[in-house]
Amino acid sequence: MNLVQNLLALYAGILLITALLTALLWRRSRDPLHRALFFVWASTIVSFVLQGALAQNDLLVTVGFSSAFLVNLALAQLVAEVVGTSVRWRPFAAGLVVALTASAALFAAHGSFLAVSAPVCVAVAMPLLVTGMRIVRTRWRALTTIDRALLASCGVFCLHNLDFALLRDKPNAAPAGFTIAILIITALAITSLAAVLEAATEKQARIHAEMEAARRIQMRLLPRDVALPGLELACHMRPADAVGGDYFDIHALDDASWLLVGDVTGHGLGAGLVMLMAQSIIGSILQARPDVKPHELNFLANRVLSANLARLGEQRHMTLVSLCRVGDGGRFLVSGSHDNIYVYRAKNRDVEVVPVAHFPLGIGILADLRAGDFGHGSLTLVPGDLLFVGTDGITEAARGGDPAKGLFGEDGLVAHLRESGARPLSEVKSALVQKLDAFTGGAYDDDVAFIMVRAKGETA
């Protein structure tokens, strides 16, 4: 008896340790595979407790063992998720109900333990047995060595379920039965964890490759080698994730020069997709209406983007500022709902802050805005003046990546422009990027993008 108790304690210890480990993995990753793995061991503990509590007669012993159905179903679901298929649980649940009914009838007819428990043993093993056989038949060649080892462990576990009817009522077989159970549980613990880690690693590698492809597409769509008459240009873009939600674009259409800067709510893939959508919408409007005014462009872009986001069920908005210069002079029409614009005035070596609030909330969130809701303004550059348009990832950059330690802020940006605004544009850009990197320690919580424009000619 002491041997059986020791084996029971060892069995329970293995279950508790494995369940705790998988719970920690699930909490840390929130990955569905880790969740499925945790359910396997949580259901095993539940079944272990119920089988120990229900031991008064053959029918209750059988009912207690029927809880192992949850373990088999959880294992079947885990294996299916690892290999990329699914499990239909309802037919198996119906089969268990039928088996329990048959076992109750056989118990009432004073059948043997083998007769009473056999229907439930078969029903309990069916989810894992059927799923495993289907995977072997249809996907065996595509399985990795670890996946095959997990399937083999599951197969042995199925056989162990079936031997319950033969050995459970024989006390002398208990030590051998628990020893076999411990070996099987250990094999399942090792192979299931290895298979989940392998699948999770492969999934992460695939996601990384897809994100990298999306990042390359996004970066390649940024304007390159665009020349605007009478202006020098410098641009910068740094996503906080592989894909960012910040937007800037430059267009030279007929005699009009366009500067556009925007910021989609959030960052990452979702924000990046909305940014690409907005870029396409705005580019299409400019090609179709080269004479459009900035406030008209924003109105049309809002209508289209709002409709698209409504179809997607997305609740995002995008701050946007549109600047248009007609001809090669220094006057820009401005319309936007965005962070401030900053103009370094070469004459007095100071920085002018230009608020940008010509319509509410940006584009994409309020579909019922009318054309009259979009206002506009203007600003003028003289030779030597520097125009800076950026996103809030600059002013909200956190010291060391921790907002509690302070932000770079508008004061930091204004101070930089004031002290370096007269230097070559490339130096102004590189010095700002270096300052931000040093301030944040390279830890950015938001995307960063900006355009700098300097009016050419003799300084006034």
Side-chain angles (χ1 to χ4, degrees), residues 6 29 60 85 110 215 285 320 373:
N6 290 337
S29 69
L60 288 177
T85 185
H110 306 290
R215 186 193 70 82
I285 295 171
L320 177 67
D373 296 323

Side-chain angles (χ1 to χ4, degrees), residues 118-136:
V120 170
C121 288
V122 174
V124 162
M126 287 304 288
L128 185 56
L129 185 62
V130 172
T131 302
M133 291 176 63
R134 176 162 55 86
I135 292 172
V136 169

Side-chain angles (χ1 to χ4, degrees), residues 234 386 388 416-417 420-434 450 452 454:
L386 186 155
F388 183 97
H416 171 74
L417 294 175
S420 63
R423 295 161 61 185
L425 210 56
S426 59
E427 293 184 16
V428 181
K429 168 188 169 181
S430 60
L432 177 58
V433 173
Q434 290 172 12
F450 61 80
M452 292 190 296
R454 170 170 281 145

Side-chain angles (χ1 to χ4, degrees), residues 149-166:
L150 174 59
L151 276 175
S153 299
C154 290
V156 176
F157 183 70
C158 287
L159 294 176
H160 181 59
N161 286 321
L162 296 175
D163 71 25
F164 177 85
L166 300 172

Side-chain angles (χ1 to χ4, degrees), residues 210-228:
E210 292 172 352
M211 291 290 285
E212 181 61 22
R215 186 193 70 82
R216 287 198 302 269
I217 292 171
Q218 185 179 52
M219 298 306 287
R220 287 176 181 175
L221 287 175
L222 295 177
R224 285 184 176 82
D225 302 324
V226 180
L228 301 179

Side-chain angles (χ1 to χ4, degrees), residues 11-12 15-16 42-55 64 67:
Y11 186 84
L15 294 183
L16 288 173
S43 61
T44 305
I45 291 176
V46 171
S47 179
F48 179 78
V49 172
L50 288 176
Q51 289 185 58
L54 300 175
S67 62

Side-chain angles (χ1 to χ4, degrees), residues 69-364:
F69 174 83
L70 297 175
V71 184
N72 282 264
L73 186 61
L75 271 171
Q77 183 64 39
L78 173 66
V79 173
E81 289 193 24
V82 166
V83 303
T85 185
S86 59
V87 177
R88 296 176 58 195
W89 61 271
R90 287 184 176 84
F92 300 123
L96 179 64
V97 172
V98 172
L100 284 169
T101 303
S103 294
L106 290 167
F107 177 76
H110 306 290
S112 65
F113 179 77
L114 175 62
V116 172
S117 59
V120 170
C121 288
V122 174
V124 162
M126 287 304 288
L128 185 56
L129 185 62
V130 172
T131 302
M133 291 176 63
R134 176 162 55 86
I135 292 172
V136 169
R137 187 177 67 254
T138 60
R139 298 172 181 257
W140 180 257
R141 292 184 179 180
L143 300 180
T144 66
T145 301
I146 293 177
D147 293 340
R148 293 178 180 181
L150 174 59
L151 276 175
S153 299
C154 290
V156 176
F157 183 70
C158 287
L159 294 176
H160 181 59
N161 286 321
L162 296 175
D163 71 25
F164 177 85
L166 300 172
L167 303 178
R168 177 61 177 81
D169 64 335
K170 298 177 175 59
N172 293 334
F178 282 119
T179 301
I180 293 171
I182 290 171
L183 292 174
I184 294 173
I185 287 296
T186 302
L188 279 173
I190 294 171
T191 56
S192 62
L193 181 58
V196 165
L197 292 177
E198 181 183 55
T201 301
E202 181 183 349
K203 178 181 177 182
Q204 288 298 320
R206 185 170 62 252
I207 292 174
H208 177 76
E210 292 172 352
M211 291 290 285
E212 181 61 22
R215 186 193 70 82
R216 287 198 302 269
I217 292 171
Q218 185 179 52
M219 298 306 287
R220 287 176 181 175
L221 287 175
L222 295 177
R224 285 184 176 82
D225 302 324
V226 180
L228 301 179
L231 299 175
E232 297 177 53
L233 294 169
C235 309
H236 177 72
M237 171 94 159
R238 174 172 179 153
D241 293 329
V243 180
D246 280 5
Y247 160 79
F248 74 82
D249 211 348
I250 302 168
H251 292 273
L253 301 171
D254 297 334
D255 64 340
S257 301
W258 285 88
L259 305 174
L260 303 129
V261 176
D263 183 1
V264 179
T265 304
H267 53 85
L269 184 59
L273 291 175
V274 175
M275 185 278 277
L276 290 173
M277 189 186 305
Q279 183 184 48
S280 176
I281 291 168
I282 292 171
S284 298
I285 295 171
L286 288 176
Q287 292 295 327
R289 291 271 311 276
D291 60 339
V292 70
K293 298 296 187 292
H295 65 284
E296 296 173 328
L297 172 68
N298 294 338
F299 165 65
L300 295 172
N302 178 67
R303 289 184 60 183
V304 180
L305 185 61
S306 296
N308 285 355
L309 293 178
R311 291 180 183 179
L312 295 173
E314 282 278 347
Q315 289 293 319
R316 291 182 186 267
H317 76 280
M318 175 180 177
T319 64
L320 177 67
V321 57
S322 305
L323 299 97
C324 177
R325 183 193 64 162
V326 178
D328 57 1
R331 183 171 182 268
F332 287 82
L333 295 178
V334 183
S335 178
S337 178
H338 191 67
D339 289 1
N340 295 333
I341 292 174
Y342 305 92
V343 182
Y344 171 80
R345 296 298 183 183
K347 182 177 181 180
N348 58 10
R349 297 178 179 271
D350 203 359
V351 176
E352 177 185 344
V353 179
V354 181
V356 181
H358 301 109
F359 56 91
L361 296 179
I363 66 172

Side-chain angles (χ1 to χ4, degrees), residues 410-453:
E410 184 176 69
D411 291 343
L413 178 57
V414 169
H416 171 74
L417 294 175
R418 185 179 289 124
E419 70 185 26
S420 63
R423 295 161 61 185
L425 210 56
S426 59
E427 293 184 16
V428 181
K429 168 188 169 181
S430 60
L432 177 58
V433 173
Q434 290 172 12
K435 280 186 178 180
L436 288 171
D437 285 343
F439 186 83
T440 63
Y444 289 85
D445 289 330
D446 199 2
D447 309 317
V448 170
F450 61 80
I451 295 177
M452 292 190 296
V453 174

